Amino acid sequence: MLMIIAPMLAVPLAQVRPRQGRWLRLFPSILLFVSCVLGIISLKNAVSKDSISVWAYAWLILGFMALALYMNWGSRVQHRLRFRKQENRLAAAATNSVSDIDNQNNSSQGGQS
């Protein structure tokens, strides 16, 4: 399972901006990989001794996969949600301004009866 999780985590952790410290960005990724490996090994030993349920191993794998998916696509999803909110606000503002103009045209008769 680590062969699937490691590349999923490596892609977002390897991206750096120009003039950003590449080695500083490497430190959190090393810690994340080491914690993943240690968690998998320790849970594998605990499951083999029957001290923990097999589901704990699955939850750990799913947790790291969810983290990897969030790191890969989280910013895209947040950007799309913000863009949709902005579109909805603009559409609501346009609808309100059109209805306000209609109300002003209907309410002012210009002194004619």
Side-chain angles (χ1 to χ4, degrees):
M1 294 309 286
L2 191 60
M3 291 175 56
I4 296 170
I5 295 172
M8 290 174 64
L9 287 171
V11 171
L13 290 173
Q15 295 173 351
V16 292
R17 294 180 188 90
R19 301 180 191 263
Q20 183 184 13
R22 289 182 178 97
W23 296 107
L24 184 64
R25 183 73 184 232
L26 188 62
F27 185 69
S29 59
I30 290 172
L31 289 178
L32 192 62
F33 285 124
V34 167
S35 67
C36 183
V37 169
L38 288 177
I40 289 173
I41 290 171
S42 65
L43 279 179
K44 184 178 176 184
N45 291 336
V47 167
S48 67
K49 293 178 184 177
D50 287 333
S51 62
I52 270 186
S53 172
V54 178
W55 291 104
Y57 184 72
W59 281 111
L60 179 76
I61 297 296
L62 286 175
F64 275 107
M65 287 185 105
L67 176 67
L69 289 173
Y70 175 74
M71 290 176 74
N72 279 308
W73 293 308
S75 62
R76 292 180 193 162
V77 171
Q78 289 174 359
H79 176 70
R80 286 185 183 170
L81 290 175
R82 283 188 206 131
F83 187 69
R84 284 185 185 164
K85 274 186 185 179
Q86 222 173 17
E87 281 182 348
N88 290 341
R89 285 184 196 155
L90 291 175
T95 305
N96 288 340
S97 65
V98 169
S99 64
D100 288 343
I101 291 171
D102 288 340
N103 288 340
Q104 289 174 356
N105 289 339
N106 291 335
S107 64
S108 63
Q109 296 293 325
Q112 298 174 1
S113 31

